[in-house]
Amino acid sequence: MKELTADMKYYDYYYEAFSAILSGFVGEYEVEVVDANAEDGRKHWEKKYGLKAFSPIAKNYPYSHYDDFGQSRSYGFARNHLGNDLMGQVGTPIIAVEGGIVEALGWNQYGGWRIGIRSMDSKRYYYYAHLRKNFPYQLDLKVGDKVQAGDVIGYLGRTGYSTKENVNNIQQPHLHFGMQLIFDESQKECNSEIWIDVYQIVRFLNSNRSEVVKNLVTKDYSRVYEIREQEPEGSE
Ligand SMILES: [Zn+2]
């Protein structure tokens, strides 16, 4: 194979493209399941294979969206919309689509309060923006934390479009969800970043939504059913 492809400069990227998205979405995992006939709601672990990524919107919370990838945006400078906007109510718990490491957490003038999470194999960067004013994030979350697919990471809001922090300048409350593919680390922040149209992915993930419960003291939410994933090869 190496000889046949020696002249193909970008062959390694073709090879990687196949697994660039799905390697973090499908695989073996264990999930907590409520025992049959359990009156006390006791749970046990079950092994499964299949879709292990979650919708970015928690179970039982309504949202609407359409394919708005590439539409023009004018705040700051003329540019294209590199994600999918999910309209919902302020405070809707936002869920980690795939597990990974929290790489960015804080204010930026476009995304407002936002979270950036890098997949464990470092090939995918997830961007969740316009989170809620005053209470944007799951309370314990900080840069460097490891999250699992399905964890509550923050709350839907309408912050952003301001150089000043904690300002609601977005008209309609929504989650901006973006997904960047990174084949080479030099692509992470450059003029040719690869942000993909995630609309069909979000539709697909609607079949797997994380159920959440509120802590009445802290007003923070957390998932009801934990999952355990195998680490991808080459991570850590
Ligand atoms: Zn958006």
Side-chain angles (χ1 to χ4, degrees):
M1 205 53 149
K2 275 267 182 289
E3 282 167 30
L4 286 171
T5 59
D7 294 336
M8 295 172 66
K9 191 178 166 193
Y10 299 111
Y11 177 73
D12 287 345
Y13 294 149
Y14 294 145
Y15 187 78
E16 283 185 32
F18 179 75
S19 61
I21 299 168
L22 283 181
S23 61
F25 278 37
V26 175
E28 279 180 27
Y29 63 99
E30 291 180 283
V31 63
E32 283 187 308
V33 175
V34 177
D35 291 351
N37 310 317
E39 283 164 24
D40 55 1
R42 254 207 336 234
K43 296 179 276 194
H44 64 275
W45 291 98
E46 258 179 34
K47 271 201 166 138
K48 299 206 173 184
Y49 179 88
L51 177 62
K52 56 180 187 172
F54 285 84
S55 167
I57 303 289
K59 189 175 182 177
N60 301 323
Y61 288 84
Y63 70 92
S64 64
H65 67 148
Y66 63 96
D67 193 351
D68 52 354
F69 189 84
Q71 288 186 344
S72 63
R73 290 290 188 270
S74 56
Y75 173 81
F77 62 99
R79 63 199 194 282
N80 294 328
H81 188 235
L82 300 176
N84 191 212
D85 288 347
L86 287 81
M87 274 60 78
Q89 283 192 333
V90 172
T92 296
I94 301 304
I95 303 298
V97 166
E98 185 184 348
I101 302 293
V102 177
E103 196 168 278
L105 184 142
W107 186 265
N108 83 29
Q109 66 164 309
Y110 299 99
W113 294 126
R114 57 81 166 90
I115 302 173
I117 295 177
R118 183 79 74 105
S119 64
M120 294 308 294
D121 68 1
S122 79
K123 303 278 174 67
R124 292 166 299 287
Y125 181 74
Y126 295 89
Y127 180 68
Y128 307 83
H130 310 314
L131 303 181
R132 181 171 61 184
K133 186 179 178 176
N134 300 329
F135 193 163
Y137 312 121
Q138 196 275 333
L139 285 173
D140 299 325
L141 203 66
K142 56 189 185 307
V143 169
D145 281 356
K146 184 176 174 181
V147 299
Q148 295 278 355
D151 284 355
V152 175
I153 53 172
Y155 302 96
L156 191 147
R158 55 186 202 89
T159 61
Y161 287 10
S162 167
T163 50
K164 216 178 121 200
E165 287 192 1
N166 204 30
V167 169
N168 273 335
N169 263 351
I170 303 291
Q171 286 300 312
Q172 190 173 23
H174 70 268
L175 170 71
H176 171 98
F177 173 60
M179 189 173 169
Q180 181 187 12
L181 301 185
I182 301 160
F183 296 96
D184 185 283
E185 207 50 37
S186 65
Q187 296 175 303
K188 176 61 183 30
E189 282 177 48
C190 65
N191 291 325
S192 53
E193 298 170 2
I194 304 172
W195 292 90
I196 60 172
D197 182 348
V198 288
Y199 174 69
Q200 296 296 347
I201 289 173
V202 173
R203 287 190 65 194
F204 175 49
L205 294 175
N206 189 59
S207 63
N208 196 28
R209 297 178 68 181
S210 186
E211 190 171 336
V212 299
V213 60
K214 186 180 187 178
N215 180 322
L216 295 174
V217 178
T218 63
K219 309 231 185 324
D220 212 12
Y221 287 74
S222 59
R223 71 191 301 162
V224 176
Y225 302 105
E226 298 287 338
I227 63 162
R228 292 197 287 227
E229 281 185 72
Q230 294 209 319
E231 296 295 328
E233 280 174 44
S235 71
E236 293 184 320

